[in-house]
């Protein structure tokens, strides 16, 4: 009886997940994600070229988009896309329309997927406030400030250092997982491409691999800095995405490293925007 209910729930979730409305909304979400990451990469590249003082996080990318002559149009599209991508993320995590499974491997994959909708949901209000011109509008450095504020509150509690360190290990693991994903043959197993020649599809996949490596490096660094903050009981050691990118400059050949990661983030942005146009989700996959 329970298995039948689960199967029926999964079937209904798949119908919703692959409905034309949700698919179109998710496509806008992929485009929004791509635009944000491409802008982050472009702003980081401007730092390397001496045209900007510091790299940007996702909110910084949104602020930069808002300053564009087409800023309001872009921000409206991003706002709609963020909501769609968040919805898809929760559907993918809790209802498993892609059949990741409920065994240990599937559970870990779905748990990792939960980070994504939470992350993008946190950008919805700052984007809305940016459109309305309110004081809570998206601005660069907001994520590092929020991370350090949360770290400070956690470190003031008995279990805080452990929880902060655990969060750092999880985020570091997500970053490492993305590196393995990029190197895997099945890194885009949930997608099928259409209206692309084999040559075009091959280049889109290459951009995806490069981009996922760059994103994995940045996420890994964010996780590592959280672990350091927990170990040293120093919330100022915690960093958001822009802080992690900025720390690259302190390493030997830092500008070259930041340049490579910047190009990788731009590649990831192009890959995501391509997904909005030419990817469809496969309705098969690994079953529980």
């Amino acid at each position: 009886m329970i298995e039948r209910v689960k199967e029926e729930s999964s079937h209904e979730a798949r119908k919703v997940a692959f409905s034309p409305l949700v698919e179109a909304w998710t496509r806008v979400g992929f485009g929004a994600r791509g635009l944000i990451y491409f802008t982050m990469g472009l702003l980081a590249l401007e730092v390397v070229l001496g045209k900007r003082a510091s790299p940007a996080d996702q909110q910084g990318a949104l602020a930069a988009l808002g300053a564009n002559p087409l800023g309001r149009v872009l921000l409206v599209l991003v706002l709609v896309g963020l909501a769609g991508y968040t919805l898809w993320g929760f559907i993918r995590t809790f209802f498993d329309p892609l059949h990741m499974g409920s065994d240990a491997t599937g559970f870990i994959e779905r748990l990792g997927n939960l980070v994504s909708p939470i992350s993008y949901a946190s950008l919805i209000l700052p984007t809305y406030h940016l459109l309305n011109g309110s004081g809570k509008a998206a601005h660069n450095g907001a994520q590092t400030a929020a991370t350090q504020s949360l770290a400070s509150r956690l470190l003031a509690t008995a279990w805080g250092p452990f929880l902060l360190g655990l969060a750092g290990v999880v985020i570091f693991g997500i970053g490492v997982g993305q590196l393995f994903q990029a190197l895997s043959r099945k890194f885009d197993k949930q997608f099928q491409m259409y209206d692309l020649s084999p040559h075009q599809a091959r280049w889109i996949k290459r951009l995806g691999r490069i981009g996922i490596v760059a994103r994995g490096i940045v996420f890994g660094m964010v996780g590592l800095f959280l672990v350091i903050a927990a170990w040293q009981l120093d919330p100022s050691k915690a960093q958001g995405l822009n802080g992690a990118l900025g720390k690259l400059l302190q390493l030997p050949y830092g500008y070259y490293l930041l340049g490579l990661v910047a190009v990788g983030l731009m590649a990831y942005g192009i890959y995501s925007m391509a997904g909005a146009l030419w990817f469809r989700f496969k309705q098969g996959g690994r079953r529980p």
Side-chain angles (χ1 to χ4, degrees), residues 96 99-113 286:
D96 196 21
H99 289 308
M100 293 181 181
S102 55
D103 57 10
T105 301
F107 177 78
I108 292 172
E109 286 182 355
R110 291 166 67 182
L111 185 62
N113 287 338
R286 185 168 61 85

Side-chain angles (χ1 to χ4, degrees), residues 124-137:
I124 292 175
L125 277 179
T127 305
Y128 175 77
H129 289 310
L130 189 58
L131 275 166
N132 289 341
S134 78
K136 297 180 180 179

Side-chain angles (χ1 to χ4, degrees), residues 54 77 122 137 141 189 259 264 282:
S54 61
L77 289 174
S122 71
K189 63 182 179 181
K282 295 177 181 176

